[in-house]
Amino acid sequence: MQRLANKRIIVGITGGIAAYKSAELVRRLQDHGADVRVVMTAAAQSFITPLTLQALSGKPVHLDLLDTEAEAAMGHIELARWGDAIVIAPASADFIARFAHGHGNDLLTTLCLAARCPIAVAPAMNQAMWASPANLENIETLRSRKIPLFGPAAGSQACGDVGLGRMLEAEEIAQCTADLFENNILTGKRVVITAGPTREAIDPVRFISNHSSGKMGYSLAEAARDAGAAVTLISGPVNLDCPDRVDRVSVSSAQEMLDAALNVLPADIFIATAAVADYRPDKQANQKMKKKGDGGPLTLTLIENPDIVATVAKQEPKPYVVGFAAETQSVLEYARGKIERKNLDMIVANDVSQAGIGFNSDENAVTAIWPDQEQVLERASKQQIASQLVELIAQKLAAEG
Ligand code: C5P
């Protein structure tokens, strides 16, 4: 569930027996890649200790609006700005009432007032309390403000009653949290992405290849899927699992990658992140080549591989074609040349000579280039760069009509 990777989630815990499930929720959100911070109300601390949540989240738990030390470390306004979403689980009837009426009488309600990010509420209370007119009115107020409500579920309750008011299970809340980040900017679009290296066989056991990890292409596949697209990932040999709900076609050589690409067209968007070998041996030996043992050199003749992205850019109907340019010098200049030469709509340039970005690393810093415009995307995780690129591509596509 890539949608939570690198997302900053504030889990707000209020007083209710379901607070024991919040420990599991923190874990699940982290398993899905989120960075989690916990805020507890005073009542919550009667049900579960801050120490448990601190140990799980690996961060100090935020408890008190008036704690000068905690405020100095990360004040409530700063915390409100930090979060990409706030999830209140469990949300007690009392919290819901205070939240609905705009109170700011503890850290959590104040945080909710200060936050500009989505705030979601997972109610948990006895079924009679849930059904009380006052609570239902407060819930209606939240609905009218478009506050996402996660649950409640119906079923047996800690108090022995059966009915509506149970908090959803941790994994269900994690899934609902991920859904907060789904956008539909590419809904109905077909996206084809090439990723990873290619292998050009010398003989049955040897090949020419490169260090591409495939991470950028895989991150783009997840970002495009999360934007609602149907994604086909044409992948060279990499050590990455196929993302959920993405079709992967595994290939080895450049020629296989080209065949696979032409086979899955037409598409609305074609993104070429693959580090395709420019050359391949002119012939592949049928048997493992033997060392000559005469001390002399071995000469391999290499012939040029087809240019996959340029070939795709010649197809009709032409997809919106995005190339990548990994360079070690004159990065922008070479990239601009490639836009024209390969008939691309956009190119993403990165300087692979810089340590810690580009090839085989988790971060990247790139410049998106169009024939008439450029935009720098500062250093960030490949997932974040991927989301930003998908947004830019979707904008351009929409502008082209
Ligand atoms: O020419 P260069 O390899 O630097 O171009 C990089 C861009 O072209 C990348 O988007 C890469 O995936 C694509 N490419 C390709 N087929 C090739 C060589 C490069 O699709 N044979």
Side-chain angles (χ1 to χ4, degrees), residues 78-382:
E78 215 178 332
L79 187 59
R81 282 200 201 112
W82 178 88
D84 293 318
I86 300 176
V87 180
I88 318 289
S92 64
D94 175 65
F95 170 80
I96 289 169
R98 291 186 294 123
F99 180 41
H101 291 90
H103 290 205
N105 49 4
D106 65 2
L107 177 59
L108 190 56
T109 44
T110 311
L111 198 64
C112 290
L113 286 172
R116 290 290 160 268
C117 63
I119 302 170
V121 168
M125 66 195 75
N126 165 271
Q127 51 87 22
M129 290 170 72
W130 172 259
S132 69
N135 180 62
L136 292 182
E137 247 174 57
N138 291 334
I139 290 292
E140 219 26 67
T141 304
L142 298 191
R143 284 208 177 101
S144 70
R145 279 192 216 141
K146 309 252 180 304
I147 298 291
L149 289 173
F150 299 167
S156 65
Q157 302 200 298
C159 50
D161 280 5
V162 177
L164 206 56
R166 270 171 67 93
M167 186 166 92
L168 296 187
E169 297 306 320
E171 183 58 28
E172 291 173 303
I173 297 176
Q175 293 286 344
C176 292
T177 306
D179 290 344
L180 295 175
F181 296 100
E182 189 154 60
N183 60 52
N184 294 317
I185 50 180
L186 289 182
T187 295
K189 302 288 182 211
R190 243 181 81 64
V191 177
V192 176
I193 301 172
T194 65
T198 64
R199 284 183 182 170
E200 309 302 328
I202 298 170
D203 68 18
V205 295
R206 302 185 180 94
F207 52 80
I208 296 171
S209 193
N210 59 63
H211 291 297
S212 168
S213 63
K215 283 179 194 158
M216 193 66 238
Y218 276 59
S219 295
L220 275 162
E222 292 180 304
R225 173 205 63 198
D226 291 345
V231 182
T232 303
L233 183 59
I234 302 175
S235 175
V238 293
N239 274 324
L240 298 171
D241 290 333
C242 179
D244 283 345
R245 294 177 286 129
V246 165
D247 272 339
R248 178 165 67 175
V249 182
S250 296
V251 296
S252 184
S253 67
Q255 186 60 53
E256 282 172 23
M257 192 173 268
L258 174 63
D259 293 345
L262 295 177
N263 196 35
V264 298
L265 290 183
D268 300 287
I269 300 166
F270 185 85
I271 310 176
T273 68
V276 184
D278 288 328
Y279 292 92
R280 67 175 184 274
D282 65 338
K283 30 184 191 302
Q284 179 190 344
N286 288 333
Q287 304 295 335
K288 182 180 168 200
M289 288 165 66
K290 291 285 169 219
K291 186 157 78 179
K292 286 191 284 182
D294 59 5
L298 170 74
T299 306
L300 282 178
T301 304
L302 301 179
I303 56 171
E304 212 172 298
N305 263 329
D307 192 306
I308 299 166
V309 75
T311 310
V312 167
K314 284 188 195 133
Q315 305 300 306
E316 279 302 331
K318 184 190 170 210
Y320 188 86
V321 182
V322 183
F324 269 69
E327 301 289 352
T328 53
Q329 55 175 349
S330 311
V331 181
L332 299 183
E333 198 181 316
Y334 283 145
R336 281 186 212 108
K338 273 175 213 173
I339 280 210
E340 258 184 55
R341 203 158 9 94
K342 299 186 187 222
N343 190 23
L344 308 178
D345 297 289
M346 167 178 169
I347 195 156
V348 181
N350 67 326
D351 183 347
V352 286
S353 68
Q354 288 184 47
I357 61 168
F359 260 46
N360 221 350
S361 61
D362 293 329
E363 296 200 321
N364 215 345
V366 302
T367 306
I369 303 173
W370 297 269
D372 54 351
Q373 197 195 338
E374 283 179 18
Q375 186 168 333
V376 174
L377 305 185
E378 304 290 350
R379 181 169 176 160
S381 71
K382 285 186 173 172

